[in-house]
Amino acid sequence: MLKRYFQPEIETMSPEDIKALQSKLLVQQVRHVYENVAYYRAKMDEAGVTPDDIHGVEDLYKLPFLSKSDLRDAYPYGLLAKPLSECVRIQSTSGTTGRRVVSFYTQHDVDLWEECCARAIVATGGSSEDVCQVAYGYGLFTGGAGLNGGSHKVGCLTLPMSSGNTERQIQFMRDLHSTILCCTPSYAAYIGETLKDMGLTPDDIDLKAGIFGAEPWTEEMRHDIEKSLGIKAYDIYGLTETSGPGVAFECEAQDGMHINEDHFLAEIIDPDTGEVLPEGSKGELVFTSLDKEAFPLLRYRTRDICVLHREKCSCGRTLIKMSKPMGRSDDMMIIRGVNVFPSQIETVLLKEGYAANYLIEVDRVHNSDTLDISVELLPDQFSDTMRDIEIREKKLAAAIKTMLGISPKVHLVSPKSIARSEGKAVRVIDKRKLHD
């Protein structure tokens, strides 16, 4: 199997050497943060730990956690570790609730981030011979900027399309023979749907690979996208707080994402107790930025639930792998006492032959939770009679109950009646929050 790396000396480094490098960088980073970030220094002092207590990765557990609430409390400059005169860029989260999270970058930080994204592109088979179409959003959102810079590092011809205007996306894709597509998985699915609506097939485009992230997606959705666009679909992981996409990336094995361990030190913890769990355990993912200058976060709780493992990979990379996130500890819904993740519902929909266009609505009526799921019919299903549709609704509701253990109300709706997303898809409306 062809093995391709952007930085082989890092991507194939021995685990022992990785640990030694991480320990060296961690010691330096803790001192950098302690001396330059008053907010985190106060947290360390409160925890009774100083930089002299940190000798390597084995001491990481001594450091206090950071959470998104800390980032909001310290907004905008409270976690900045470099003078503003040395910072060249900010990126920001969408800020759907509370204050925005703003992350700062020196030029060094930007260069390292783009190298991480370049590794992801090369892992899909990308090279300077490729045309990389970046349909992530640009601006404050990290998706467009990260993959755009990574594409430049690799030497691809880069199309900075941003999201939206899907027919134009397809026109450029055809005219300029794009070979790699970078966007959210929900937008990739929409591009595939639009391609079909235009009377075109995957044979009419030159795409070979897609790099999709920024929202949860299932294996079933991966297969649907691969079929509709005629590509191999690769996952990429990142978050604004630590840099953006490129924290971890999928290789040709497509069975987990390699974490760029020379820049990010990963842990899995029990989300309730904060206890560090052994490798292979399912829990909450925590990251420490090892060499970010302007906005270095120590033990940042991502709220993503996943598993870390260092099994030998067929691609030859030795970087530890994280599983696809299995949900989030903070977007997990508790409905009638049952823990529910939207990805569980999506898995059922796709297995039952429906498209990944759905909307979950949770409410509380007379002190009892309600779960309503609207699912789009495919065009050939929409021709069924009302009686047939009612039968389909009952069958799908039964399948979802088998997965979740609770009964939903399923509504099969006409094709394209659920609003499409060109960014992160909105899948859940929890009306119970409006009653607090």
Side-chain angles (χ1 to χ4, degrees), residues 34 38-50 62-65 70:
Y34 190 84
Y39 186 97
Y40 197 75
R41 180 166 63 251
K43 289 182 75 76
M44 287 179 64
D45 289 345
E46 184 180 352
V49 61
T50 72
K62 299 176 182 178
L63 296 170
F65 292 112
D70 287 307

Tab-separated table of all heavy atoms in Angstrom, residues 34 38-50 62-65 70:
chain	number	residue	atom	x	y	z
A	34	TYR	N	2.403	29.819	32.730
A	34	TYR	CA	2.428	30.293	34.116
A	34	TYR	C	2.980	31.715	34.205
A	34	TYR	O	2.480	32.548	34.965
A	34	TYR	CB	3.269	29.352	34.972
A	34	TYR	CG	3.174	29.608	36.460
A	34	TYR	CD1	2.123	29.074	37.209
A	34	TYR	CD2	4.131	30.367	37.121
A	34	TYR	CE1	2.024	29.308	38.581
A	34	TYR	CE2	4.040	30.610	38.496
A	34	TYR	CZ	2.979	30.074	39.213
A	34	TYR	OH	2.890	30.300	40.562
A	38	ALA	N	-2.069	35.299	33.536
A	38	ALA	CA	-2.457	35.463	34.939
A	38	ALA	C	-3.659	34.596	35.299
A	38	ALA	O	-3.742	34.052	36.411
A	38	ALA	CB	-2.764	36.938	35.224
A	39	TYR	N	-4.596	34.462	34.365
A	39	TYR	CA	-5.812	33.676	34.620
A	39	TYR	C	-5.461	32.228	34.957
A	39	TYR	O	-5.941	31.668	35.949
A	39	TYR	CB	-6.732	33.730	33.398
A	39	TYR	CG	-8.079	33.074	33.597
A	39	TYR	CD1	-9.196	33.832	33.943
A	39	TYR	CD2	-8.252	31.704	33.434
A	39	TYR	CE1	-10.447	33.239	34.131
A	39	TYR	CE2	-9.493	31.096	33.620
A	39	TYR	CZ	-10.579	31.869	33.965
A	39	TYR	OH	-11.807	31.282	34.156
A	40	TYR	N	-4.584	31.618	34.146
A	40	TYR	CA	-4.250	30.212	34.389
A	40	TYR	C	-3.277	30.069	35.559
A	40	TYR	O	-3.315	29.081	36.289
A	40	TYR	CB	-3.677	29.567	33.122
A	40	TYR	CG	-3.701	28.047	33.188
A	40	TYR	CD1	-4.899	27.354	33.034
A	40	TYR	CD2	-2.543	27.318	33.435
A	40	TYR	CE1	-4.943	25.976	33.108
A	40	TYR	CE2	-2.578	25.932	33.513
A	40	TYR	CZ	-3.782	25.267	33.352
A	40	TYR	OH	-3.826	23.903	33.450
A	41	ARG	N	-2.421	31.068	35.736
A	41	ARG	CA	-1.512	31.041	36.896
A	41	ARG	C	-2.327	30.985	38.195
A	41	ARG	O	-1.980	30.233	39.123
A	41	ARG	CB	-0.594	32.256	36.889
A	41	ARG	CG	0.383	32.290	38.073
A	41	ARG	CD	1.497	33.304	37.879
A	41	ARG	NE	1.027	34.672	37.800
A	41	ARG	CZ	1.018	35.412	36.687
A	41	ARG	NH1	1.461	34.889	35.543
A	41	ARG	NH2	0.593	36.648	36.705
A	42	ALA	N	-3.422	31.737	38.253
A	42	ALA	CA	-4.275	31.718	39.442
A	42	ALA	C	-4.891	30.335	39.642
A	42	ALA	O	-5.007	29.855	40.780
A	42	ALA	CB	-5.364	32.785	39.315
A	43	LYS	N	-5.270	29.675	38.544
A	43	LYS	CA	-5.844	28.323	38.656
A	43	LYS	C	-4.785	27.339	39.147
A	43	LYS	O	-5.077	26.442	39.957
A	43	LYS	CB	-6.410	27.870	37.300
A	43	LYS	CG	-7.671	28.597	36.869
A	43	LYS	CD	-8.203	28.086	35.549
A	43	LYS	CE	-8.891	26.755	35.675
A	43	LYS	NZ	-10.243	26.833	36.275
A	44	MET	N	-3.554	27.485	38.651
A	44	MET	CA	-2.477	26.606	39.111
A	44	MET	C	-2.160	26.847	40.586
A	44	MET	O	-1.983	25.895	41.357
A	44	MET	CB	-1.228	26.799	38.246
A	44	MET	CG	-1.343	26.196	36.849
A	44	MET	SD	0.142	26.454	35.829
A	44	MET	CE	1.385	25.530	36.745
A	45	ASP	N	-2.116	28.105	40.969
A	45	ASP	CA	-1.837	28.426	42.378
A	45	ASP	C	-2.918	27.846	43.278
A	45	ASP	O	-2.635	27.302	44.359
A	45	ASP	CB	-1.753	29.942	42.568
A	45	ASP	CG	-0.489	30.542	41.947
A	45	ASP	OD1	0.435	29.761	41.632
A	45	ASP	OD2	-0.449	31.773	41.761
A	46	GLU	N	-4.162	27.945	42.826
A	46	GLU	CA	-5.278	27.411	43.606
A	46	GLU	C	-5.164	25.891	43.747
A	46	GLU	O	-5.529	25.315	44.792
A	46	GLU	CB	-6.607	27.773	42.933
A	46	GLU	CG	-7.828	27.340	43.712
A	46	GLU	CD	-9.127	27.717	42.999
A	46	GLU	OE1	-9.075	28.445	41.990
A	46	GLU	OE2	-10.192	27.278	43.465
A	47	ALA	N	-4.647	25.238	42.676
A	47	ALA	CA	-4.478	23.781	42.696
A	47	ALA	C	-3.191	23.368	43.408
A	47	ALA	O	-2.925	22.172	43.576
A	47	ALA	CB	-4.483	23.240	41.270
A	48	GLY	N	-2.367	24.346	43.799
A	48	GLY	CA	-1.132	24.045	44.511
A	48	GLY	C	-0.055	23.430	43.640
A	48	GLY	O	0.745	22.615	44.109
A	49	VAL	N	-0.009	23.836	42.369
A	49	VAL	CA	0.991	23.292	41.451
A	49	VAL	C	1.757	24.441	40.801
A	49	VAL	O	1.189	25.499	40.500
A	49	VAL	CB	0.323	22.388	40.385
A	49	VAL	CG1	-0.682	23.158	39.550
A	49	VAL	CG2	1.361	21.727	39.481
A	50	THR	N	3.069	24.247	40.620
A	50	THR	CA	3.922	25.238	39.962
A	50	THR	C	4.637	24.568	38.791
A	50	THR	O	4.643	23.331	38.685
A	50	THR	CB	4.984	25.788	40.935
A	50	THR	OG1	5.965	24.754	41.173
A	50	THR	CG2	4.359	26.224	42.247
A	62	LYS	N	-1.540	16.662	37.176
A	62	LYS	CA	-1.479	17.619	38.277
A	62	LYS	C	-2.068	18.975	37.899
A	62	LYS	O	-2.445	19.766	38.779
A	62	LYS	CB	-0.020	17.818	38.717
A	62	LYS	CG	0.672	16.555	39.228
A	62	LYS	CD	2.130	16.835	39.541
A	62	LYS	CE	2.854	15.574	40.008
A	62	LYS	NZ	4.307	15.833	40.273
A	63	LEU	N	-2.131	19.258	36.608
A	63	LEU	CA	-2.581	20.571	36.149
A	63	LEU	C	-4.096	20.672	36.173
A	63	LEU	O	-4.799	19.688	35.901
A	63	LEU	CB	-2.072	20.830	34.723
A	63	LEU	CG	-0.547	20.925	34.564
A	63	LEU	CD1	-0.174	20.922	33.094
A	63	LEU	CD2	-0.020	22.182	35.254
A	64	PRO	N	-4.636	21.853	36.456
A	64	PRO	CA	-6.094	22.034	36.439
A	64	PRO	C	-6.632	22.062	35.019
A	64	PRO	O	-5.914	22.382	34.068
A	64	PRO	CB	-6.295	23.386	37.126
A	64	PRO	CG	-5.016	24.130	36.892
A	64	PRO	CD	-3.931	23.075	36.880
A	65	PHE	N	-7.904	21.710	34.874
A	65	PHE	CA	-8.562	21.736	33.564
A	65	PHE	C	-8.947	23.164	33.179
A	65	PHE	O	-9.135	24.035	34.039
A	65	PHE	CB	-9.841	20.901	33.592
A	65	PHE	CG	-9.624	19.430	33.754
A	65	PHE	CD1	-10.019	18.781	34.917
A	65	PHE	CD2	-9.042	18.681	32.738
A	65	PHE	CE1	-9.839	17.416	35.076
A	65	PHE	CE2	-8.853	17.316	32.884
A	65	PHE	CZ	-9.247	16.674	34.060
A	70	ASP	N	-14.312	28.879	31.075
A	70	ASP	CA	-13.109	29.660	31.388
A	70	ASP	C	-12.772	30.605	30.237
A	70	ASP	O	-12.401	31.762	30.456
A	70	ASP	CB	-11.917	28.728	31.639
A	70	ASP	CG	-12.009	27.995	32.962
A	70	ASP	OD1	-12.183	28.662	33.991
A	70	ASP	OD2	-11.917	26.762	32.957
